[in-house]
Amino acid sequence: MKNKGIIGSIIALAIVLIGVFAYQMGTRQTTASSTDDKKIKTVGILQYVSHSSLDQIKKGVIAGLKEEGYTEGDNLKIKFLNGQGDQSKLNSMSQQLLDKKSDVLVGIATPAAKALANATTDTPIIMGAISDPVGSGLVKDLKNPGGNVTGVNNLTPVAQQIDMAKELFPNAKTMGIVYSSSEENSKSQVETAEQNAKAAGYAVKKFAISSSNDLSAVTQQACQESDFLYIPQDNTIASAFQTLISESDKAKTPVFVSVDNMVKEGGIATVGQNQYKLGVETGKMAADVLDGKAKPADTPVNVIDYGDMIINEEKAKELGITIPDSIKEKAEVVKGE
């Protein structure tokens, strides 16, 4: 009888142990399944160079991803690299981001986006505010990109900018354009600005720099030969903008810029696009690809072709320029930094 009791106890204990083991295995499987459902995605971001405009775009990209449910440290890993204006670094960094198994790549500024596109035709690439995607060879068509690249096209509202400049400087005769000869995005905008300025009755003089080392001397010359300066979206100039402003202030020459934050940095005015918001739109497009909702080949480029009037009234007073009421009524007034 005792033996039967002992055997019964052993069988009961075995049943209990088997039940516990089965429960634990089920829990592990459920946890593993849950982990798979919340698979961490990786976004590789490559930025051309550091300056306030591109830095704002990067912040916007991260915010846009978060708005769509991708939070760094939770279900998202962000691998960020900055080429600091060095093309050879951009090429090697593109490969590094591919080696990190990025699910989506984001290129901030044309050189960065092109470096990524040259590195892969498979991994999805989202352009972070590129001014001329077709001209730079990143996409075949804005409505039907056709490859592994799509994103945001910040089409600068040049015509509105020249109209605003005409209101600000009605007696000016010559507009000087300072730009970098090595930047495709800048040269494209220069052509459009020249056409619009001539149509508005301005004579146009163009002053190209080959690197930021030329900026001081070229700005001095441009100020001597122009009534005001026009600066396109140009990364080389943006990264050394205070050098330009230092020279233009000495000459008392107003600088009309193309980017919103450059008004705060010493420009007199613009019809500009908010760089942070451009980044947010870029991040949202990246999230759609991560979700499987969109493929670059079939996703039209998001063309943003409008901007807001922004004026630096303090700078205008420094230069002895009166802002017309017609502009004050429509524009955002900012103070210099």
Side-chain angles (χ1 to χ4, degrees):
M1 292 295 292
K2 287 183 178 179
N3 289 339
K4 288 182 180 180
I6 293 170
I7 292 171
S9 298
I10 291 172
I11 292 172
L13 178 61
I15 292 172
V16 170
L17 290 173
I18 290 170
V20 170
F21 179 74
Y23 174 78
Q24 288 178 337
M25 287 299 294
T27 302
R28 287 176 185 173
Q29 289 175 352
T30 301
T31 302
S33 175
S34 176
T35 301
D36 288 340
D37 290 342
K38 294 183 178 180
K39 181 182 176 184
I40 295 174
K41 300 290 187 179
T42 300
V43 173
I45 302 177
L46 182 61
Q47 184 170 318
Y48 173 50
V49 70
S50 292
H51 61 70
S52 56
S53 299
L54 299 189
D55 293 344
Q56 284 298 309
I57 291 173
K58 180 213 169 186
K59 289 180 181 178
V61 169
I62 296 171
L65 285 162
K66 189 172 184 178
E67 282 187 27
E68 297 302 309
Y70 288 97
T71 302
E72 189 175 11
D74 180 11
N75 59 349
L76 177 67
K77 287 182 180 178
I78 292 178
K79 303 297 183 182
F80 173 71
L81 295 174
N82 189 324
Q84 296 299 359
D86 187 326
Q87 187 62 51
S88 63
K89 285 185 179 179
L90 292 175
N91 295 334
S92 62
M93 287 176 173
S94 296
Q95 189 57 52
Q96 288 177 47
L97 292 176
L98 286 171
D99 292 343
K100 296 291 185 181
K101 306 298 182 184
S102 297
D103 296 292
V104 172
L105 297 167
V106 176
I108 300 178
T110 301
K114 290 188 72 172
L116 292 172
N118 289 335
T120 179
T121 56
D122 298 318
T123 304
I125 298 170
I126 306 299
M127 303 178 293
I130 306 301
S131 57
D132 188 10
V134 176
S136 61
L138 284 162
V139 298
K140 296 177 181 178
D141 182 85
L142 294 177
K143 292 184 179 180
N144 301 289
N148 65 319
V149 182
T150 189
V152 175
N153 169 205
N154 59 322
L155 190 61
T156 307
V158 176
Q160 295 175 54
Q161 291 175 347
I162 300 302
D163 287 344
M164 184 180 184
K166 192 67 177 177
E167 283 190 75
L168 278 173
F169 318 120
N171 299 319
K173 304 295 182 186
T174 303
M175 181 178 88
I177 305 178
V178 183
Y179 68 103
S180 172
S181 59
S182 62
E183 293 197 32
E184 297 174 13
N185 51 299
S186 182
K187 289 189 287 186
S188 172
Q189 189 180 331
V190 167
E191 292 175 8
T192 305
E194 183 178 15
Q195 293 170 3
N196 280 271
K198 287 181 177 179
Y202 290 128
V204 176
K205 290 192 175 185
K206 295 183 289 184
F207 303 89
I209 64 169
S210 58
S211 74
S212 58
N213 294 331
D214 304 335
L215 190 54
S216 180
V218 170
T219 302
Q220 289 175 25
Q221 181 186 356
C223 289
Q224 290 171 6
E225 300 179 23
S226 313
D227 294 309
F228 72 97
L229 302 184
Y230 175 87
I231 310 300
Q233 289 189 10
D234 189 297
N235 293 297
T236 304
I237 293 177
S239 61
F241 189 57
Q242 288 309 307
T243 298
L244 185 147
I245 288 298
S246 176
E247 296 299 338
S248 63
D249 281 351
K250 290 176 188 175
K252 297 293 183 183
T253 302
V255 178
F256 195 101
V257 296
S258 296
V259 182
D260 60 343
N261 54 275
M262 292 175 79
V263 179
K264 290 182 179 180
E265 295 170 3
I268 191 170
T270 192
V271 180
Q273 296 165 332
N274 185 297
Q275 304 300 294
Y276 178 81
K277 290 180 180 179
L278 292 173
V280 170
E281 293 302 315
T282 303
K284 288 181 176 180
M285 293 187 76
D288 283 344
V289 173
L290 291 175
D291 286 339
K293 296 178 182 177
K295 294 181 179 179
D298 308 322
T299 304
V301 173
N302 185 356
V303 180
I304 298 176
D305 59 1
Y306 54 86
D308 300 314
M309 278 190 174
I310 306 170
I311 56 173
N312 185 333
E313 199 165 20
E314 288 182 353
K315 179 63 67 174
K317 289 177 181 178
E318 285 178 26
L319 300 175
I321 295 171
T322 301
I323 304 295
D325 290 337
S326 58
I327 290 180
K328 283 185 179 181
E329 291 169 0
K330 298 178 286 186
E332 175 189 355
V333 178
V334 300
K335 296 180 179 180
E337 295 179 344

